[in-house]
């Protein structure tokens, strides 16, 4: 039985319109935010409940049909890239906020809930969901969980993994399991910690219990213009080594500023070779004192202009340029590759110099926008696909940047994930034994290898003996029970 | 297959000469291991791998020992052939102060590590200084008061080298704080009590040592009062760095809130916190005597760890009172009240070691677990008690955990029986 063959059976069990096989409609799901990889799935399903997800996955498991979970499809590593012979499980209809539990500082949500909506909903109560990827207006909490997403403020508040305390998971065998909860330290292995960031390869999250963060008493934001990235980098080092933990420190270089300016007219300091956005939050007296310190450090490092946001409107304006930077690059270049790599923050100056050199050698330009506080670079490699050979050279430069990150002791991805795009780089960062060990964990969850196959690992491990036992409570397979098994 | 009795030559060879016969002093839960291996020197990780390959091939059961301070936690192992001591894996590999990262051998003592870091004004956020090892800390996932502000141990681990039960050496994570490449095996190993792999090297995220700190203490009148105080702290914007409750079975209960930061900020926040906590609140620049100290296993004989939804603190404390009345034993309670973890000590004067009494307390508390949303596990207890009661209690997701263990340690080399569900 292939995926297409399952469609009628699934259509009988899912709400009207929840199973898509129309080629035109299917094509709209062919890619995520990394649009140059495209695969049209065999079937798309739009379940509304965890039980429906489990029904779909169980059917896939029984027939060895691969499935891929998809949230909002904003991923930048081809993580939600469909499987041509598989089922794409789209979670966009599971958008209920099940519970906001202020007393416990938790919220329980369905996976399709949009990141920013959760914060918008809880802010009047003095709370918000801290992980804030730049895509937060559209990306889903389920996608955040699967990618262990970060954002500008994860320098201080940590990544998604620190903000998820419980998950309901449909395992690749179709079982519904609860991991963690609202309380900490439930006995057993930290399976939750393994599942967050596993990019949909260990199952489908159908309910997420998240930690809500108290809104800070005070927030101060500054924008500092520097002559070059070296001087801006010195300011970053000074701040960190003084023991200040800002909520965010973001850097943009001249090319990125130019793009943002063209797109959103954010009015960044004219002639800056680099800008820093530094935000401090917390109790008022601490913020006030440290903000003065930070301003001084920026001046000492060579900032020629420092603007302080007077209110939330001005703060939003400062952030606007930064948050729209990826898309803005389209204004100054017909095509671009968004790269995501990490270096130890102390190697920043060296990394930027070498990135410029290796791009120059290949005749392409690189705009840099990044989370400077934790060394997470987002070099945007600019090219023109109309110029023969340029796309290849851009791809080469982008790959060379990743090699550089590894060489400097960093990582091939800080937040966008491995997905389809970077599976080939995994062996450069990890040895065979390392990857094999990770895949043993995968085999524990997904012995048949049907959950988002082809992602993360360049070569799938065969799990050998499948130690799957049908438990009594599961009963007979639904297909058999329904008297449909012999139909196939 | 060699038999257990003639494994010494092979263990000696595997460990580069660092193997010996075990003695009573090496006993784990009353089981005296026939052998102890303690790899050391620059090739210690390879030696650990070779020892595990031997154990895997010969069907030997291995218990990892760091400093041995928490070896009594968990269920007693079913079998024990080799104690693998990690003290020789104590190399400080790299302290990248500018990146707030340290890479260290898993056998390094925490107090040594904190001393290494102090010079740069940094620390591993698991106050106070401990004699235990880094590996033991990670494998037991046990954090102190700082967890409220700095997060649990799992959030501090950014990379790990682990030797699998079959002797294969694997790494995950790295030495940068931000990194989502591949599965986070460090999280899986955190709290695994030596049953999934042997940590040989760990990369940890560090924090700057705060310039100033203050404690605000307040007497606590009742379970409901404790809960109201903790709710007040949680929902305020003072950003408490820790909030610990000490509630002896007999005597006065106290809540203490710690504030870390820069001097003028701490002073202002301490005043705010004192106002919040109300009558009897006092600001001090020294910690209460009990701060950050485990309920002493020696004095109590038996300690339990309860986790709960923070808003259900009163439910838990009332359940403790009920249990105390039912068995006629004073129960001491201490821990990170705002995080949702407390330790319960049975019989402060050392009388709480009767298996039947422990079982009764456990049953009473677990009976209320649905109402406080958490779990109760046995921590310190004499082997006789741990043999008589269910140490771990009910576990969510046990089936998946078993499958993880089966994949990573199919023949049950690593501390068989120690973990949940007999894993
Ligand atoms: C303009 C732009 C800016 C961005 N900025 C950031 C940023 O600052 N930080 C950052 O971290 N990322 C960023 N991203 C990347 C992306 O938005 C995040 O990775 C996001 O979390 C993906 O969410 P999604 O709902 O779109 O997931 P999708 O793209 O739909 O899926 C992503 C992965 O998650 C899996 N998945 C989705 N839902 C589930 C589920 N319920 N259960 C199991 N697996 C699931 C998929 O299989 C896939 O592997 C950005 C993307 C864009 C386009
Ligand atoms: C408030 C508080 C205060 C504390 N104070 C102290 C203190 O003063 N002194 C103190 O020692 N501890 C203290 N602890 C406990 C401490 O956090 C750790 O539990 C301790 O570091 C354990 O280290 P160990 O080397 O003694 O571990 P061990 O007792 O040797 O081992 C503990 C467990 O971890 C496993 N294990 C050990 N090393 C490894 C490894 N490398 N790989 C895999 N598994 C391994 C063991 O098999 C065992 O199951 C305190 C805890 C709290 C909450």
């Amino acid at each position: 039985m292939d995926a297409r063959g399952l469609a009628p059976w699934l259509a009988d069990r899912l709400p009207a319109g929840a199973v898509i096989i129309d080629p035109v409609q299917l094509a709209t799901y062919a890619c995520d935010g990394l649009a140059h990889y495209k695969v049209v799935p065999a079937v798309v399903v739009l379940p509304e409940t965890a039980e429906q997800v489990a029904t779909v996955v169980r059917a896939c498991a029984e027939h060895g049909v691969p499935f891929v979970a998809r949230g909002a499809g904003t991923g930048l590593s081809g993580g939600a890239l469909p499987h041509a012979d598989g089922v794409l499980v789209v979670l966009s209809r599971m958008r209920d906020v099940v519970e906001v539990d202020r007393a416990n500082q938790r919220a329980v949500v369905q996976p399709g809930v949009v990141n920013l909506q959760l914060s918008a909903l809880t802010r009047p109560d003095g709370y918000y969901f801290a992980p804030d990827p730049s895509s937060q207006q559209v990306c889903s909490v389920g996608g955040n969980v699967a990618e262990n997403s970060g954002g500008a403020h994860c320098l201080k508040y940590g990544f998604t993994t620190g903000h998820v305390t419980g998950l309901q998971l449909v395992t690749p065998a179709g079982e519904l399991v609860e991991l963690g909860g609202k309380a900490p330290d439930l006995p057993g292995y930290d399976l939750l910690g393994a599942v967050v960031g596993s990019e949909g390869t260990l199952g489908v999250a159908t309910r997420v219990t998240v930690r809500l963060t108290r809104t800070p008493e005070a927030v101060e934001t500054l924008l500092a213009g520097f002559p070059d990235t070296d001087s801006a980098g010195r300011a970053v080092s000074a701040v960190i080594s003084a023991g200040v933990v800002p909520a965010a420190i973001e850097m943009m270089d001249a090319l990125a500023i130019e793009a943002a300016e063209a797109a959103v007219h954010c009015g960044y300091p004219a002639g800056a070779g680099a800008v820093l956005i530094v935000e401090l939050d917390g109790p008022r007296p601490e913020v006030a004192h440290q903000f003065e310190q930070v301003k001084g450090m920026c001046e000492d490092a060579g900032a020629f202009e420092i603007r302080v946001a007077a209110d939330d409107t001005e703060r939003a304006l400062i952030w606007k340029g930064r948050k729209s930077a990826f898309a803005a690059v389209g204004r100054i270049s017909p095509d671009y590759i968004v790269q995501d790599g990490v270096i130890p923050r102390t190697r920043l100056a060296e990394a930027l110099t070498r990135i410029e050199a290796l791009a120059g050698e290949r005749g392409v330009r690189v705009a840099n926008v990044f989370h400077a506080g934790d060394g997470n670079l987002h070099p945007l490699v600019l090219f023109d696909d109309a110029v023969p050979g340029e796309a290849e050279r851009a791809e080469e430069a982008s790959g060379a940047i990743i090699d550089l990150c590894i060489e400097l002791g960093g990582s091939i991805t800080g937040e966008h994930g491995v997905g389809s795009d970077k599976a080939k780089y995994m062996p450069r960062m990890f040895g065979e034994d390392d990857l094999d060990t990770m895949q043993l964990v995968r085999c524990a969850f997904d012995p048949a290898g049907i959950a988002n196959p082809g992602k993360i690992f360049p070569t799938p491990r065969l799990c050998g003996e499948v130690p799957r036992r049908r438990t009594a409570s599961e009963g007979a397979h639904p297909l058999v029970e329904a008297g449909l098994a012999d139909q196939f | 297959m060699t038999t257990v009795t003639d494994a010494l030559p092979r263990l000696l060879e595997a460990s580069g000469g660092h193997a010996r016969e075990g003695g009573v002093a090496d006993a784990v839960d009353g089981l005296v291991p026939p052998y102890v291996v303690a790899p050391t020197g620059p090739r210690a990780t390879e030696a650990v791998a070779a020892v595990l390959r031997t154990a895997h091939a010969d069907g030997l059961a291995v218990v990892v020992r760091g400093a041995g301070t928490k070896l009594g936690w968990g269920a007693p192992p079913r079998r024990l052939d080799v104690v693998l001591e990690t003290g020789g894996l104590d190399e400080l590999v790299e302290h990248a102060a500018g990146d707030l990262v340290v890479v260290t051998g898993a056998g390094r003592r925490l107090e040594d590590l904190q001393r290494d870091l102090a010079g740069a004004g940094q620390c591993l956020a698991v106050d106070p200084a401990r004699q235990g090892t880094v590996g033991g800390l990670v494998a037991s996932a046990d954090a102190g008061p700082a967890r409220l502000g700095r997060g649990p141990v799992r959030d501090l681990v950014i990379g790990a080298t682990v030797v699998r039960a079959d002797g294969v050496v694997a790494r995950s994570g790295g030495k940068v704080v931000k990194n989502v490449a591949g599965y986070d095996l460090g999280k899986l190993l955190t709290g695994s009590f030596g049953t999934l792999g042997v940590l040989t090297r760990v990369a940890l995220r560090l924090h700057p040592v705060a310039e100033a700190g203050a404690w605000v203490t307040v007497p606590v009148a009742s379970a409901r009062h404790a809960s109201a105080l903790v709710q007040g702290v949680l929902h305020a914007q003072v950003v408490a760095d820790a909030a610990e409750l000490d509630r002896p079975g007999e005597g006065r209960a106290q809540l203490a809130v710690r504030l870390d930061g820069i001097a003028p900020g701490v002073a202002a926040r301490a005043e705010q916190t004192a106002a919040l906590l109300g009558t009897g609140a006092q600001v001090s620049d020294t910690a209460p005597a009990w701060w950050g100290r485990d309920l002493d296993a020696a004095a109590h004989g038996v300690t339990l760890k309860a986790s709960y939804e923070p808003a259900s603190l009163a439910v838990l404390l009332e359940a403790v009172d009920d249990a105390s009345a039912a068995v006629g034993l004073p129960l001491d309670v201490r821990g990170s009240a705002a995080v949702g973890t407390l330790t319960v000590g049975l019989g402060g004067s050392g009388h709480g070691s009767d298996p039947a009494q422990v079982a009764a307390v456990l049953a009473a508390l677990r009976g209320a677990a649905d109402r406080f949303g958490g779990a109760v596990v046995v921590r310190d207890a004499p082997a006789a008690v741990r043999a008589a009661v269910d140490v771990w209690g009910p576990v969510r997701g046990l089936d998946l955990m078993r499958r993880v263990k089966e994949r990573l340690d199919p023949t049950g080399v690593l501390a068989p029986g120690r973990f949940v569900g007999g894993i």
Side-chain angles (χ1 to χ4, degrees):
Chain A
M1 173 71 44
D2 62 5
R4 190 56 73 88
L6 282 180
W9 188 86
L10 292 173
D12 279 350
R13 274 142 195 91
L14 266 55
V19 177
I20 297 173
I21 50 167
D22 167 52
V24 177
Q25 275 180 282
L26 287 179
T28 63
Y29 294 98
C31 65
D32 61 5
L34 189 62
H36 64 269
Y37 292 105
K38 282 196 167 67
V39 174
V40 177
V43 179
V44 167
V45 296
L46 295 153
E48 290 172 7
T49 66
E51 287 67 29
Q52 289 170 9
V53 174
T55 301
V56 172
V57 173
R58 246 189 331 259
C60 288
E62 209 62 32
H63 295 278
V65 170
F67 66 90
V68 178
R70 177 182 165 112
T74 67
L76 291 173
S77 55
L81 184 73
H83 195 288
D85 303 314
V87 176
L88 187 72
V89 184
V90 180
L91 297 146
S92 57
R93 287 191 183 172
M94 294 179 65
R95 285 206 176 176
D96 289 344
V97 174
V98 180
E99 185 192 359
V100 174
D101 180 353
R102 183 178 184 274
N104 277 312
Q105 304 182 311
R106 301 286 189 272
V108 181
V109 303
Q110 287 191 318
V113 167
V114 171
N115 174 299
L116 194 60
Q117 280 176 357
L118 180 55
S119 288
L121 183 75
T122 50
R123 226 172 253 281
D125 267 344
Y127 281 89
Y128 69 110
F129 182 51
D132 63 337
S134 301
S135 53
Q136 69 183 147
Q137 296 198 13
V138 273
C139 67
S140 72
V141 173
N144 299 163
V145 167
E147 298 286 10
N148 187 16
S149 294
H153 294 81
C154 65
L155 176 63
K156 177 169 176 182
Y157 292 100
F159 322 103
T160 301
T161 187
H163 300 271
V164 175
T165 62
L167 271 188
Q168 184 189 55
L169 185 79
V170 172
T171 69
E175 309 138 306
L176 260 180
V177 297
E178 299 281 343
L179 306 176
K182 287 181 187 171
D185 293 5
L186 296 178
Y189 295 132
D190 187 0
L191 298 183
L192 191 63
V195 170
V196 177
S198 63
E199 305 189 23
T201 62
L202 300 181
V204 184
T206 48
R207 212 189 317 113
V208 188
T209 304
V210 300
R211 183 191 308 285
L212 297 173
T213 303
R214 183 72 174 98
T215 48
E217 186 180 34
V219 184
E220 292 283 3
T221 312
L222 67 74
L223 177 75
F226 291 84
D228 49 40
T229 52
D230 275 5
S231 50
R234 277 200 303 277
V236 176
S237 292
V239 170
I240 303 275
S241 41
V244 177
V245 184
I249 308 190
E250 302 282 306
M251 200 193 294
M252 291 167 73
D253 72 1
L255 209 46
I257 298 168
E258 183 191 325
E261 223 37 91
V264 296
H265 313 291
C266 41
Y268 283 0
V275 293
L276 273 189
I277 299 172
V278 187
E279 190 158 285
L280 296 181
D281 70 10
R284 199 176 308 282
E286 310 252 335
V287 170
H289 179 90
Q290 293 194 323
F291 199 62
E292 287 309 311
Q293 247 184 308
V294 169
K295 274 198 277 189
M297 289 168 186
C298 287
E299 277 160 10
D300 291 348
F304 61 82
E305 183 177 339
I306 295 179
R307 280 186 216 159
V308 175
D311 53 32
D312 284 347
T313 314
E314 289 191 25
R315 183 170 6 266
L317 197 64
I318 289 179
W319 277 110
K320 193 171 171 191
R322 166 63 187 90
K323 294 224 171 184
S324 57
F326 290 2
V329 164
R331 298 295 183 112
I332 59 163
S333 174
D335 303 286
Y336 61 95
I337 298 170
V338 179
Q339 190 48 284
D340 165 45
V342 187
I343 51 153
R345 201 190 39 72
T346 42
R347 312 287 294 267
L348 198 60
E350 179 187 356
L352 292 180
T353 308
R354 288 179 61 185
I355 287 173
E356 196 179 339
L358 58 84
E361 283 160 21
R362 289 162 182 88
V364 291
R365 294 185 302 164
V366 171
N368 283 294
V369 187
F370 52 93
H371 308 299
D374 43 28
N376 185 189
L377 306 179
H378 287 315
L380 300 153
V381 185
L382 315 184
F383 67 100
D384 184 350
D385 206 16
V387 178
E390 210 169 288
E392 288 73 21
R393 282 184 279 120
E395 185 61 44
E396 225 185 273
S398 178
I401 290 171
I402 285 307
D403 284 332
L404 175 66
C405 290
I406 298 171
E407 183 199 322
L408 295 178
S411 169
I412 63 172
T413 170
E415 56 184 18
H416 295 169
V418 178
S420 312
D421 195 38
K422 287 188 171 164
K424 60 179 179 289
Y425 297 127
M426 284 290 277
R428 300 193 199 172
M429 184 163 163
F430 295 108
E432 229 171 89
D433 289 340
D434 309 336
L435 294 175
D436 186 63
T437 305
M438 292 178 195
Q439 293 204 62
L440 283 175
V441 174
R442 181 191 192 147
C443 289
F445 281 78
D446 181 20
I450 58 168
N452 213 0
K455 313 296 166 66
I456 306 182
F457 303 106
T459 37
R461 182 187 215 277
L462 294 176
C463 298
E465 230 357 60
V466 179
R468 162 116 179 93
R469 309 165 285 255
R470 272 205 101 70
T471 60
S473 63
E474 283 174 63
H477 185 271
L479 293 180
V480 179
E481 217 160 51
L484 286 172
D486 52 356
Q487 232 175 281
F488 305 119
Chain B
M1 187 185 267
T2 42
T3 61
V4 170
T5 44
D6 60 12
L8 189 58
R10 303 214 339 135
L11 290 171
L12 274 167
E13 193 194 329
S15 63
H18 302 287
R20 59 173 171 84
E21 284 180 356
V24 179
D26 302 306
V28 177
D29 290 319
L31 294 175
V32 178
Y35 308 107
V36 174
V37 291
T40 182
R43 299 189 54 79
T45 298
E46 288 86 338
V48 170
V51 166
L52 286 177
R53 275 197 300 276
T54 301
H56 187 70
D58 293 358
L60 307 178
V62 177
V63 166
V64 189
R65 177 167 77 198
T69 64
K70 302 290 176 270
L71 266 193
W73 288 3
R78 274 193 295 273
R79 299 181 288 126
L80 177 60
D81 302 307
V82 180
V83 161
L84 172 58
E85 212 175 86
T86 62
L89 297 154
D90 66 345
E91 186 192 0
L92 181 75
V93 182
E94 180 185 359
H95 175 199
D99 293 313
L100 287 156
V101 166
V102 71
V103 184
T104 174
R108 196 161 187 81
R109 299 284 180 131
L110 286 167
E111 50 189 3
D112 292 340
L113 183 70
Q114 299 289 26
R115 212 173 305 122
D116 302 331
L117 306 172
Q122 299 178 358
C123 66
L124 180 65
V126 286
D127 63 342
R130 317 267 167 83
Q131 311 131 26
T133 59
V134 171
L137 172 78
V138 175
S140 62
D142 191 40
R147 173 173 179 176
L148 181 67
R150 300 303 192 198
V153 174
R154 52 113 85 175
D155 290 1
L156 304 176
V157 178
I158 59 173
T161 303
V162 54
V163 181
R164 259 163 38 187
D166 60 0
V168 170
V169 182
R171 290 173 309 131
S172 83
K175 53 173 191 168
V176 282
V177 169
K178 203 167 180 186
N179 176 12
V180 295
Y183 294 161
D184 194 343
L185 299 183
K187 294 227 169 25
L188 212 46
L189 267 295
T190 303
S192 66
F193 285 86
T195 62
L196 279 187
V198 180
L199 291 155
T200 54
R201 193 175 270 194
V202 186
L204 299 155
R205 145 177 218 189
L206 305 174
H207 286 86
V209 175
E211 181 188 305
W215 284 264
V216 185
T217 55
V218 67
V220 175
S222 67
R224 294 199 173 268
H225 185 213
S227 185
L229 291 171
V230 167
Q231 283 289 310
V233 170
L234 277 175
H235 299 304
Q237 290 172 315
V238 291
V239 190
D241 290 281
E244 298 277 306
L245 176 69
D246 179 51
R247 187 172 179 261
E250 290 160 335
R252 295 194 332 199
Q254 194 178 47
L255 183 76
V257 176
R258 174 164 165 106
L259 303 147
D260 280 336
I262 50 164
V266 164
R269 284 158 65 209
E271 286 310 318
Q272 253 177 296
T273 305
L276 195 75
L277 295 179
T279 321
Q282 280 186 339
V283 178
S284 166
D285 57 6
T286 52
W290 51 269
W291 180 265
R293 304 184 59 164
D294 275 340
L295 282 181
D296 191 352
H300 287 86
V302 175
T303 61
L304 313 176
K305 176 178 168 180
S307 58
Y308 57 97
E309 296 174 3
S312 302
L313 174 60
V315 177
L316 173 63
L317 293 177
E318 280 162 8
V320 169
D321 290 340
D322 292 347
S324 169
V327 297
L329 262 188
L331 298 178
D332 299 337
V333 175
R334 186 181 293 165
S336 302
V339 169
T341 65
L342 290 175
T343 305
V344 180
L346 272 67
S349 41
H351 297 307
S353 300
D354 169 23
Q357 272 183 329
V358 178
V361 171
L362 265 181
L365 294 183
R366 284 180 182 157
D370 276 349
R371 287 190 288 124
F372 57 78
V376 182
V377 302
V378 178
R379 280 243 148 135
D380 303 285
V385 170
R386 283 185 293 137
V389 302
D390 180 0
V391 168
W392 293 105
V395 177
R396 273 185 183 178
L398 183 58
D399 202 34
L400 267 179
M401 291 172 195
R402 285 217 169 90
R403 284 183 248 163
V404 169
K405 170 77 173 180
E406 275 165 24
R407 292 290 175 178
L408 288 172
D409 182 13
T411 60
V413 170
L414 293 168
R418 161 140 292 184
F419 206 49
V420 298
I423 284 176

